Amino acid sequence: MALAEAYRSTGQTESATETLMDAAEDFSDPSLKLQAATIYAQSGRTDKAKEVISALVIDRDRDWPEFIEVLKFAAQLALDEPDLELATKYAKRILHENPRDEATRWIMINCLMVLDQMDYAWEVLEAAPTPLEPEDRTRAQMWVELHRRSADPVTTMRACLDVLRRFRDDEEFNAFALTSIMLRQQADTAIPADLLSDYHYGLERFFDRWPDSTYLSRIRTSNDELLIQALTDSLRPTPERLAERHRLNREFQRGEKPLVLLAEYANKTYSEVLVRRGCGVLPTVHPDPRELALCRQTVLYSANHDVALDTSAVVVLSALPRHIRDRAMAIFRRGLTSEEVARDARQYREDLNRTSGTLYYNPDTDGPGYAEMTEDEAANVEATLSTAQAMIEQLRREPIQPRPHGRRVRLNVYASVIQTAASKQIAVWCDDAAARLMMREHGIASFSTHAVLEHLLGEGNLAVTEYQTVLDTLVRARIGAGRPELARLLRVAREQNWQPNSVAACLAQPQTWTDTAHTSTLFNDLLRTCHRENPSQTTAFFQAAVFGAVTNCPNTRAGVEIGALLLAGSVLALTADGVLAREMVDATRTAVTSALPVDNPAGVTTDPLPAAAKDLRALLLESSVINADQVFPFILKAFRGLNDKDIRTVTEALLSDDQ
């Protein structure tokens, strides 16, 4: 022992452990092997520590009183790796030896919850010889969550109120516990009056203590009109909030921020943002073709190796036919994901089961609105989520280090995949272009489904006809926004009877407008066809296109100019006048206002109408479709449906140029 300690104190780890291991064999003393494993772990040699500990567990001496310490050490090593399934097995053995070891029981419960084995976690909680009492906030959250899921309503309410009294000064936990009571499972069991009274007292105390809480708010009135007004006031965003929302929406639309931050901002699951297409289209394609080339190269290097799948990749793969999905997965050795991904999808399922609608502020009525999915939308969401969850079940799910819940818990699902990729030194399959850029900044290789499809095509594992069919499928599913093709957009638009769904969403994406000249020409043909086959939807398609083109512009001046040019070109292409021209002017203004940056420089007009009038004149003169002396009357006739103020604006714009 003295020799081993001398070696250890001078940093000679290998000599110290060899001395202890030799002594353990000579004296048949397993405790010396435990000491050797401890030194290995302290020096960072966890592989050697695990090797020694695993041998001790296998060769256990039932008369050795320190065997429990070996199991605890083994469990801690598994937690540190982390390998939560192995840690759970060790914890189970410890509890078999000593059921009253509460610290180990809490570790096992935490591991099972991270592994998404909620029923098993509840069984372990209930199996404690004496009721477990949470001593810190993390354990209290687990305790409340398990009661909400598995206990009857009366027990859940009583349990939550009991634990509240122990954490009465923690605002966030109080809100969590009170909300858990609201979200408890419904049953026919009557809630005792005294328990309801205690709950109402808890609510009163919360709002007295934290009247301006951001976690919970309340409206107290028996008057319906006052209730609606109070609800409106609580939902109506402040000007600062509106400006912030506008700025973030533009950044998300332009692919400057990953969609997981939208989930964080909106307090939604990452799965919901992706499945519901939170930005209209899943921005899987980066506008720079070099990024796609880098993705293809990463697929080539990752072939026959493990890859980690982000939720976005799972959602995109869910839209593909099963046989194409299987071919895509077969490129790689295994697909891995994280337990956080599975938990996030499960949470979205629970949210859907509670409600399929969203309460929001409607600026048109200055009142609350309720957006609910149509039957078709609900069926599509259900199909996508079910396929995604089935895929996640088939993937190997890597646990991550358990962590307490916090304000930025939504980011865990994204960070967990990066952690998995970093620990395994593998690439991430990710279909959020902005997220891929962030991953590469942190040294994590990544690639897209589009790159996988092109790899299959190049290897002869995907026929050209199959490839084209898949691209049609992606457009229908509002996935990807790269260089558009007229024939494909016409096919999908006609399938959808020119309803402003998939194709309009594609046009509204700034990535579609990277090659402005190409997309403008395509859009003119598309708009003329729409006007001929379903004229009632012309304005909707036009507004979507203006929004996408303006959002693609880097500044206000360029945005107004492209909006004006699209208005002028479309009025000319459709020979629009009267009502249609007025609707197109209104649509242009709405789209430009929504798409421009929040901070507009002084002196830059944001009204596209004056510039559109000048552009229309230039187009008419350039095309020579009418004589020069007929241009002015033509423009006035086109805009005759506008109000007097707007007609004066058009006239002054044309005359000012003449001067």
Side-chain angles (χ1 to χ4, degrees):
M1 282 291 295
L3 180 59
E5 177 59 25
Y7 282 135
R8 189 196 66 78
S9 63
T10 57
Q12 300 181 62
T13 302
E14 201 63 39
S15 297
T17 52
E18 285 181 6
T19 300
L20 289 169
M21 294 294 288
D22 290 342
E25 294 295 334
D26 292 341
F27 299 105
S28 299
D29 186 351
S31 65
L32 297 177
K33 292 184 179 181
L34 177 58
Q35 291 181 45
T38 302
I39 292 175
Y40 274 132
Q42 290 172 345
S43 64
R45 298 287 305 279
T46 54
D47 54 334
K48 294 294 293 182
K50 285 175 59 179
E51 181 182 320
V52 173
I53 288 296
S54 296
L56 282 173
V57 171
I58 294 171
D59 301 331
R60 74 159 291 182
D61 181 350
R62 294 190 177 276
D63 296 326
W64 183 31
E66 290 183 85
F67 183 68
I68 288 291
E69 298 306 314
V70 172
L71 290 176
K72 288 185 177 182
F73 190 20
Q76 187 59 55
L77 288 174
L79 283 173
D80 292 340
E81 188 172 354
D83 184 342
L84 300 193
E85 292 181 350
L86 182 59
T88 300
K89 291 178 182 178
Y90 285 135
K92 184 177 180 179
R93 293 184 64 174
I94 295 168
L95 292 177
H96 179 74
E97 300 285 339
N98 181 14
R100 296 186 177 278
D101 187 338
E102 292 191 356
T104 298
R105 190 172 296 275
W106 278 116
I107 289 173
M108 185 173 180
I109 290 169
N110 197 357
C111 290
L112 291 170
M113 291 182 73
V114 173
L115 291 169
D116 205 23
Q117 298 180 31
M118 298 297 180
D119 291 340
Y120 190 6
W122 173 251
E123 291 176 10
V124 174
L125 179 70
E126 286 288 275
T130 57
L132 284 184
E133 299 292 340
E135 297 177 356
D136 58 46
R137 177 177 164 179
T138 300
R139 292 179 178 180
Q141 285 181 310
M142 292 190 291
W143 196 79
V144 168
E145 179 68 9
L146 288 176
H147 276 80
R148 181 184 72 80
R149 290 174 178 276
S150 303
D152 63 84
V154 173
T155 302
T156 297
M157 185 176 287
R158 197 177 302 282
C160 289
L161 292 174
D162 285 345
V163 78
L164 267 181
R165 297 184 182 99
R166 267 171 276 156
F167 298 90
R168 57 191 303 118
D169 296 324
D170 187 326
E171 178 190 358
E172 185 175 1
F173 178 76
N174 272 250
F176 170 74
L178 291 169
T179 303
S180 295
I181 294 175
M182 299 176 199
L183 298 178
R184 70 187 187 280
Q185 59 179 329
Q186 300 300 312
D188 296 332
T189 308
I191 305 296
D194 64 321
L195 200 54
L196 283 174
S197 177
D198 287 346
Y199 174 60
H200 291 144
Y201 172 77
L203 283 173
E204 289 294 332
R205 181 188 170 279
F206 180 91
F207 290 113
D208 287 344
R209 178 74 182 276
W210 299 289
D212 300 319
S213 175
T214 58
Y215 298 104
L216 281 180
S217 60
R218 68 174 174 180
I219 299 171
R220 303 181 68 177
T221 180
S222 59
N223 184 297
D224 289 346
E225 292 184 4
L226 292 177
L227 175 62
I228 292 174
Q229 184 59 50
L231 191 58
T232 300
D233 292 341
S234 69
L235 293 171
R236 184 190 295 115
T238 63
E240 294 77 15
R241 180 73 167 173
L242 274 176
E244 176 70 2
R245 186 180 297 173
H246 185 119
R247 182 184 63 79
L248 287 171
N249 182 58
R250 179 176 164 85
E251 290 175 345
F252 287 125
Q253 292 286 348
R254 288 171 58 85
E256 295 171 352
K257 289 185 181 297
L259 291 179
V260 70
L261 291 179
L262 177 57
E264 174 71 20
Y265 178 82
N267 196 27
K268 302 287 186 181
T269 61
Y270 189 31
S271 297
E272 179 175 357
V273 167
L274 295 168
V275 171
R276 296 292 304 279
R277 310 296 192 260
C279 280
V281 168
L282 281 187
T284 64
V285 179
H286 194 277
D288 188 340
R290 292 174 298 179
E291 200 275 340
L292 179 57
L294 184 56
C295 284
R296 287 197 299 263
Q297 188 178 46
T298 305
V299 172
L300 185 63
Y301 290 156
S302 300
N304 300 317
H305 293 85
D306 290 348
V307 293
L309 276 75
D310 175 66
T311 308
S312 60
V314 174
V315 170
V316 171
L317 285 168
S318 299
L320 301 182
R322 176 64 181 270
H323 65 285
I324 303 294
R325 190 162 65 236
D326 289 345
R327 282 186 229 170
M329 293 297 298
I331 295 172
F332 311 102
R333 177 173 173 266
R334 285 184 310 177
L336 312 180
T337 192
S338 73
E339 291 294 346
E340 287 284 348
V341 169
R343 178 160 49 180
D344 183 82
R346 174 181 52 76
Q347 182 62 56
Y348 181 35
R349 167 71 65 191
E350 292 182 4
D351 294 344
L352 272 179
N353 291 339
R354 281 197 293 268
T355 177
S356 60
T358 302
L359 195 65
Y360 69 98
Y361 170 72
N362 186 342
D364 296 330
T365 62
D366 189 31
Y370 187 72
E372 195 166 19
M373 289 187 289
T374 65
E375 289 186 8
D376 288 345
E377 289 171 337
N380 182 58
V381 166
E382 170 61 32
T384 302
L385 183 58
S386 295
T387 304
Q389 287 189 291
M391 271 198 67
I392 292 169
E393 287 298 318
Q394 294 171 0
L395 300 173
R396 175 179 171 81
R397 302 205 300 271
E398 296 290 323
I400 65 168
Q401 191 71 20
R403 67 192 71 192
H405 297 288
R407 284 179 177 268
R408 302 183 70 82
V409 67
R410 302 293 184 193
L411 301 184
N412 287 352
V413 65
Y414 170 77
S416 66
V417 175
I418 293 180
Q419 180 179 332
T420 297
S423 65
K424 305 288 183 182
Q425 295 186 328
I426 57 178
V428 176
W429 191 340
C430 174
D431 279 309
D432 179 355
R436 290 199 300 273
L437 296 182
M438 286 188 61
M439 290 176 188
R440 293 189 188 112
E441 288 177 0
H442 291 87
I444 306 296
S446 59
F447 60 89
S448 65
T449 297
H450 278 78
V452 172
L453 293 172
E454 291 200 0
H455 178 84
L456 288 172
L457 184 66
E459 293 291 311
N461 294 321
L462 189 67
V464 173
T465 53
E466 289 179 309
Y467 179 68
Q468 296 298 330
T469 300
V470 167
L471 294 184
D472 284 2
T473 299
L474 294 177
V475 170
R476 290 188 200 96
R478 292 186 288 143
I479 293 172
R483 184 181 174 88
E485 297 179 18
L486 179 61
R488 190 181 323 284
L489 296 187
L490 285 173
R491 274 197 304 273
V492 175
R494 283 167 172 155
E495 287 174 7
Q496 299 177 346
N497 193 29
W498 288 100
Q499 295 304 303
N501 297 331
S502 303
V503 174
C506 175
L507 292 172
Q509 294 304 297
Q511 294 85 353
T512 302
W513 292 87
T514 302
D515 186 343
T516 306
H518 166 79
T519 306
S520 296
T521 302
L522 172 152
F523 172 63
N524 271 336
D525 292 339
L526 187 75
L527 194 64
R528 282 197 296 265
T529 308
C530 173
H531 191 58
R532 185 171 61 251
E533 298 182 3
N534 191 346
S536 65
Q537 300 301 334
T538 301
T539 305
F541 275 87
F542 173 74
Q543 182 170 326
V546 174
F547 179 85
V550 175
T551 305
N552 181 58
C553 294
N555 55 59
T556 299
R557 191 182 303 278
V560 174
E561 287 175 357
I562 189 64
L565 190 58
L566 285 174
L567 173 57
S570 299
V571 167
L572 181 59
L574 302 178
T575 320
D577 64 6
V579 174
L580 178 57
R582 185 183 71 241
E583 290 177 346
M584 293 174 71
V585 170
D586 291 342
T588 305
R589 283 172 166 162
T590 299
V592 168
T593 300
S594 301
L596 287 178
V598 176
D599 301 320
N600 294 326
V604 177
T605 179
T606 59
D607 184 3
L609 183 57
K614 297 177 185 179
D615 289 337
L616 181 54
R617 180 177 60 184
L619 290 171
L620 286 166
L621 291 172
E622 182 182 337
S623 63
S624 301
V625 295
I626 59 176
N627 295 328
D629 59 350
Q630 295 177 313
V631 169
F632 193 82
F634 181 96
I635 296 174
L636 290 181
K637 180 177 180 292
F639 290 124
R640 64 184 175 177
L642 304 182
N643 59 39
D644 291 342
K645 180 181 177 182
D646 284 340
I647 291 176
R648 283 197 302 272
T649 298
V650 170
T651 304
E652 290 171 0
L654 296 174
L655 292 176
S656 67
D657 243 20
D658 287 339
Q659 295 172 1

